[in-house]
Amino acid sequence: GENVEQHPSTLSVQEGDSAVIKCTYSDSASNYFPWYKQELGKRPQLIIDIRSNVGEKKDQRIAVTLNKTAKHFSLHITETQPEDSAVYFCAASPNSGGSNYKLTFGKGTLLTVNP
Amino acid sequence: DVKVTQSSRYLVKRTGEKVFLECVQDMDHENMFWYRQDPGLGLRLIYFSYDVKMKEKGDIPEGYSVSREKKERFSLILESASTNQTSMYLCASRTGGWNTQYFGPGTRLTVL
């Protein structure tokens, strides 16, 4: 089955700096890659996702890149703010229907943005 | 607005008790999931269901079972709770395709 590795496990940056979180996956059938943000005491929520037919996607200060050949994808946050502090999870999923719609998650990255 | 709700936010049970965790979603999603979240281990899939009465084991099914009698409801059952099942349990639901997976608020289960 799919295996998703996520690095780093913790990341501390100064407010205004950029943050990058990287993930690799093992199953070449995976073609949907979402990122979730989980604030302390809250449920994970989708912040951005990318499909395999796209190499990059941006949404304001957040961007995700995908390299299907190398089987890795990354989350980029620019101009970080204290409210970006949270645990971020990457995930991967095939898209072939039936029992295959399960997401495999990385272990998470605790991002701390210092004022 | 999609809503995934779980029956309890906090639960304290004794070793050996049978425990039921309930999850309900209101968006007619085919797929429902149960995860457990532990520090440093991320979100680990226990069981999932892609249709009523259909279920598949996830990565850590031992000690758990599930029930899905209606499309909107997915139950996680701990047949005989043990202390190593103390954890945060998250339910989620999703349609197929490229669509977002939504999580419930979580149930913090403590087994004494």
Side-chain angles (χ1 to χ4, degrees):
Chain A
E2 176 66 279
N3 182 48
V4 176
E5 300 278 343
Q6 183 172 346
H7 298 280
S9 56
T10 60
L11 180 59
S12 182
V13 300
Q14 289 299 122
E15 183 176 357
D17 287 351
S18 295
V20 180
I21 303 169
K22 299 182 179 182
C23 290
T24 60
Y25 63 98
S26 61
D27 189 351
S28 56
S30 287
N31 53 16
Y32 174 63
F33 306 93
W35 287 86
Y36 283 79
K37 176 183 180 183
Q38 186 178 29
E39 296 176 1
L40 188 64
K42 297 193 175 179
R43 71 189 80 188
Q45 292 197 301
L46 180 76
I47 54 171
I48 194 167
D49 57 15
I50 191 167
R51 306 175 186 183
S52 59
N53 56 352
V54 174
E56 183 175 359
K57 184 177 178 181
K58 280 186 179 179
D59 183 4
Q60 299 182 338
R61 297 186 295 107
I62 293 173
V64 58
T65 59
L66 171 65
N67 183 327
K68 282 219 76 177
T69 304
K71 295 199 187 77
H72 67 72
F73 56 113
S74 300
L75 177 72
H76 304 252
I77 306 174
T78 58
E79 300 172 19
T80 54
Q81 301 167 4
E83 51 265 39
D84 294 328
S85 295
V87 177
Y88 290 81
F89 293 98
C90 63
S93 169
N95 195 30
S96 50
S99 64
N100 289 322
Y101 286 125
K102 62 173 183 170
L103 294 172
T104 300
F105 286 87
K107 287 185 166 45
T109 297
L110 174 61
L111 173 64
T112 303
V113 179
N114 302 299
Chain B
D1 206 18
V2 175
K3 271 194 183 163
V4 182
T5 57
Q6 295 182 227
S7 50
S8 305
R9 290 301 306 271
Y10 300 94
L11 210 52
V12 179
K13 295 292 181 180
R14 297 279 178 193
T15 302
E17 281 193 81
K18 190 168 186 176
V19 182
F20 293 87
L21 302 183
E22 302 273 314
C23 175
V24 177
Q25 51 94 4
D26 67 357
M27 283 302 290
D28 203 35
H29 288 171
E30 299 87 1
N31 304 285
M32 296 188 75
F33 309 86
W34 275 106
Y35 297 88
R36 94 175 251 177
Q37 183 173 21
D38 300 287
L41 298 179
L43 297 162
R44 293 183 292 167
L45 183 64
I46 304 171
Y47 266 99
F48 67 103
S49 170
Y50 52 93
D51 202 350
V52 176
K53 297 192 188 293
M54 305 303 289
K55 59 186 179 185
E56 281 202 18
K57 293 179 180 179
D59 302 315
I60 52 164
E62 297 78 20
Y64 304 94
S65 62
V66 290
S67 173
R68 191 158 180 211
E69 296 296 319
K70 292 185 177 181
K71 192 174 186 180
E72 67 271 18
R73 187 179 299 269
F74 191 34
S75 301
L76 180 69
I77 303 154
L78 287 67
E79 295 290 341
S80 178
S82 64
T83 55
N84 62 12
Q85 292 178 310
T86 291
S87 187
M88 171 67 81
Y89 290 87
L90 287 162
C91 175
S93 74
R94 181 184 179 201
T95 59
W98 309 106
N99 298 297
T100 302
Q101 179 163 305
Y102 294 90
F103 285 86
T107 296
R108 171 77 62 186
L109 173 66
T110 301
V111 182
L112 302 176

